[in-house]
Amino acid sequence: MSAADSTTPSGGRLGRAWDRLSPVRERVRKRFAVDTRSLAAVRIALALVILLDLLHRSQDLALFYTDAGVYPVAAYEATYGQYTGVSIHALSGDLWFQAVLFVVAGAFAVAFLLGYRTRLVGFVSLLLLFSLQARNPAVLNGGDRLFRVLLAVALVTPLGERWSIDALRRGSARERVASFGTAALLVQPVVVFTANAILKHAGQEWYAGDGLAIALHNDVMTTALGKVVVDFPTLLTLLNYGWVVLLSGSTLFLLGTVGRARMLAAFTYTSAFVGMLLTMAVGLFPLLLMTAMLPYLPDLFWDELAGRVPSAWHDRVPSPEAAAAALGPLGRPPIERRILDPDREGWYGEASDYAVAYARSLLTVLGFCVLVWILVFSASSVSGQDVPEQIDYEHLDQQKWGLYAPDPTESYSWYPSRAYLANGSMANAFGGGELTFDRPPNPAAEYPNFRHRKFMSAVNQAGPDGIIAESYADWVCERAAAVHEEPVKRVTVYRVYQLSPIDGEYEDPGRQIVIERDCSAA
């Protein structure tokens, strides 16, 4: 028997086995295929969140990102070692420098929204986002982590395939895409939910039905609507268990469904995130979770939505050719497509085909690596097992999803400051008369926004001798002197903490000194 004859039966058996697995392969592919309109919606949503984040942070541009604020470059260099040296924003502590970077990031976000050089501008946006977050990690929460992770994962999918300048320049678009990249994009939110459910199981309150009630009794993190909802304990218990079911069953509800059932699941999860947005001040988290649901919207959703658009609007939409012509030079095919012209003959055409095939293969490998990264690091986070030493790198360790887990905190804090003036009097460092430690009518108003709350938590955790605490105290000295128009000898920053009363009356708040600072040292 020849060598060829000896391999034929084996090859035939493998081929027949592969064919028999065709129904299974088709089911798997169907569950990880994404409508390219959904990918376009993800791109637009991420770009809008970038712009919203920049706008929100710009309100505290000087305070959190310059040397004149509470976190100068010197503090950045001395804290959070994993971020040292990785922030472009830390190259200067001047206000103008930060303002320029904010404008540049906004310009790239607009280009990302429009789908111009989508993957390139998206990658630059990711770098600028990470640089901005690294400049002041003390103001970050879990939503910021999800932001950079979701943007990084989304970039291994063809976000510019539809509704983009890139699509107009290319002149063609796929309707659906199934790849390791789309699998990673679909798996990422499921990992977030499943990991959070496992971490909550380590506590007692969520699976006892009390977790949501405790969370919503945290007055500094609850909105006006949230304060109304807490008056309905039965509703809170039902919503608590509903949330636990959604977290625990996300693999079944999201990955185990297709078509209309998947669309219904996506809407159900999105409604929960809308509720979170309206009742809790947790930053960008609910917006990003809603964005993560967009890939689950099937083609029937977009077809139905398109069918509801008035025909008069359709008539106003220019044809792809007219739109590309209106773009002028931007409407020309990308330079790499002109260089790698597949219609060229001879060795150049072969080299072009090889370059295109190599790039596609590289993107497939990258998507596979991203999927493995999600699964390995999330499993490590919930199991407590270390990842292999070869990949145990702190910047890769991003799959930790412990929002309100294992149990929500049963108290909240605020941080008043007292100034001792040169004339011998004492006053509230920020004005408004003598300092009091009574529970304020609206504790949430003690913080302009959630980033202030996170920063003050970092000040408290740093301890009185930590550079974050010292930098903040120096800023309080300067602020108090400006407010009272009087030299300030020293300041004291207090932490006032209040137990959340699930049942009964509020107890008297407790207090402790966080920092005592001689302003002459500032």
Side-chain angles (χ1 to χ4, degrees):
M1 181 181 293
S2 66
D5 292 334
S6 65
T7 59
T8 300
S10 177
R13 286 194 296 270
L14 288 175
R16 287 192 296 272
W18 182 254
D19 291 340
R20 283 196 295 269
L21 288 174
S22 178
V24 177
R25 289 188 288 110
E26 184 57 30
R27 290 193 193 98
V28 172
R29 186 184 185 282
K30 196 172 184 179
R31 278 161 177 75
F32 290 109
V34 178
D35 191 289
T36 50
R37 291 168 292 187
S38 296
L39 293 178
V42 169
R43 184 194 77 240
I44 294 169
L46 286 172
L48 290 175
V49 175
I50 292 173
L51 292 171
L52 179 63
D53 185 43
L54 290 170
L55 181 62
H56 185 265
R57 289 175 185 266
S58 67
Q59 301 173 27
D60 300 305
L61 187 59
L63 181 67
F64 287 142
Y65 305 103
T66 72
D67 287 342
V70 296
Y71 196 75
V73 172
Y76 159 80
E77 293 174 343
T79 55
Y80 302 102
Q82 70 269 35
Y83 295 109
T84 303
V86 300
S87 176
I88 302 171
H89 292 72
L91 294 177
S92 172
D94 293 335
L95 179 61
W96 70 267
F97 184 78
Q98 302 302 320
V100 168
L101 286 179
F102 269 58
V103 171
V104 170
F108 274 95
V110 170
F112 189 49
L113 187 150
L114 297 175
Y116 175 72
R117 310 290 303 185
T118 305
R119 189 164 277 125
L120 175 61
V121 301
F123 180 70
V124 175
S125 292
L126 175 63
L127 293 180
L128 290 172
L129 175 65
F130 185 76
S131 172
L132 177 58
Q133 292 184 356
R135 172 61 182 87
N136 190 348
V139 300
L140 303 182
N141 69 0
D144 295 292
R145 176 180 302 219
L146 181 61
F147 196 0
R148 60 181 181 262
V149 166
L150 189 59
L151 179 55
V153 173
L155 288 176
V156 298
T157 67
L159 298 178
E161 192 73 19
R162 300 278 283 275
W163 301 347
S164 65
I165 293 176
D166 287 348
L168 293 174
R169 301 168 78 196
R170 190 171 51 247
S172 62
R174 290 168 289 178
E175 293 185 356
R176 292 174 65 80
V177 178
S179 66
F180 286 118
T182 59
L185 188 60
L186 293 169
V187 164
Q188 181 62 74
V190 172
V191 162
V192 174
F193 305 147
T194 304
N196 192 251
I198 294 172
L199 294 173
K200 280 180 167 60
H201 194 270
Q204 298 178 352
E205 306 297 349
W206 287 100
Y207 287 83
D210 299 325
L212 187 58
I214 295 173
L216 287 178
H217 275 87
N218 186 330
D219 288 346
V220 301
M221 295 185 66
T222 306
T223 67
L225 180 60
K227 290 178 172 60
V228 173
V229 175
V230 295
D231 292 331
F232 300 90
T234 302
L235 175 62
L236 285 180
T237 301
L238 292 174
L239 292 175
N240 178 101
Y241 283 122
W243 179 236
V244 170
V245 168
L246 289 179
L247 292 176
S248 305
S250 58
T251 301
L252 173 64
F253 299 145
L254 293 172
L255 294 182
T257 55
V258 293
R260 198 170 297 276
R262 174 172 283 191
M263 181 176 68
L264 179 60
F267 286 159
T268 302
Y269 280 85
T270 300
S271 65
F273 306 144
V274 171
M276 183 190 298
L277 179 67
L278 296 176
T279 58
M280 296 179 175
V282 290
L284 302 174
F285 209 84
L287 295 177
L288 292 163
L289 290 174
M290 284 187 269
T291 300
M293 290 298 99
L294 292 174
Y296 288 96
L297 296 178
D299 50 4
L300 62 92
F301 168 79
W302 298 109
D303 293 340
E304 178 69 19
L305 190 64
R308 294 180 180 274
V309 175
S311 57
W313 291 15
H314 284 291
D315 297 337
R316 296 178 184 178
V317 177
S319 65
E321 295 78 11
L327 291 173
L330 293 181
R332 299 181 62 194
I335 186 171
E336 63 272 17
R337 289 182 65 87
R338 288 178 300 205
I339 292 175
L340 301 175
D341 186 354
D343 295 331
R344 304 251 183 130
E345 297 181 355
W347 67 269
Y348 191 92
E350 293 178 0
S352 297
D353 292 341
Y354 176 80
V356 171
Y358 181 81
R360 289 174 177 168
S361 300
L362 189 62
L363 193 59
T364 299
V365 172
L366 181 60
F368 176 78
C369 291
V370 169
L371 181 59
V372 171
W373 165 68
I374 293 171
L375 296 175
V376 168
F377 278 91
S378 60
S380 171
S381 175
V382 298
S383 67
Q385 299 295 318
D386 294 332
V387 298
E389 184 177 348
Q390 294 82 352
I391 59 172
D392 188 9
Y393 186 54
E394 55 191 0
H395 288 130
L396 290 177
D397 189 9
Q398 300 291 308
Q399 297 290 336
K400 296 179 179 178
W401 310 112
L403 182 67
Y404 287 108
D407 290 317
T409 179
E410 297 187 21
S411 66
Y412 56 87
S413 306
W414 62 96
Y415 298 85
S417 299
R418 171 175 284 153
Y420 297 82
L421 305 180
N423 61 14
S425 64
M426 297 182 298
N428 186 329
F430 304 122
E434 176 54 31
L435 194 68
T436 66
F437 300 101
D438 297 331
R439 178 180 173 271
N442 181 14
E446 295 298 302
Y447 301 100
N449 56 57
F450 76 96
R451 297 206 183 278
H452 286 253
R453 186 179 68 242
K454 291 296 296 184
F455 185 81
M456 290 312 301
S457 177
V459 169
N460 180 54
Q461 293 172 8
D465 299 324
I467 190 170
I468 296 180
E470 290 181 353
S471 297
Y472 176 72
D474 290 343
W475 177 82
V476 174
C477 287
E478 296 174 4
R479 179 73 174 169
V483 168
H484 295 285
E485 298 181 345
E486 177 79 20
V488 178
K489 296 174 62 176
R490 62 188 175 93
V491 297
T492 303
V493 179
Y494 299 88
R495 172 179 174 257
V496 184
Y497 50 92
Q498 175 73 66
L499 293 177
S500 303
I502 306 304
D503 298 306
E505 300 293 330
Y506 282 98
E507 298 181 6
D508 292 335
R511 71 174 182 266
Q512 65 186 56
I513 293 175
V514 177
I515 318 165
E516 288 186 294
R517 184 71 165 168
D518 181 355
C519 291
S520 63

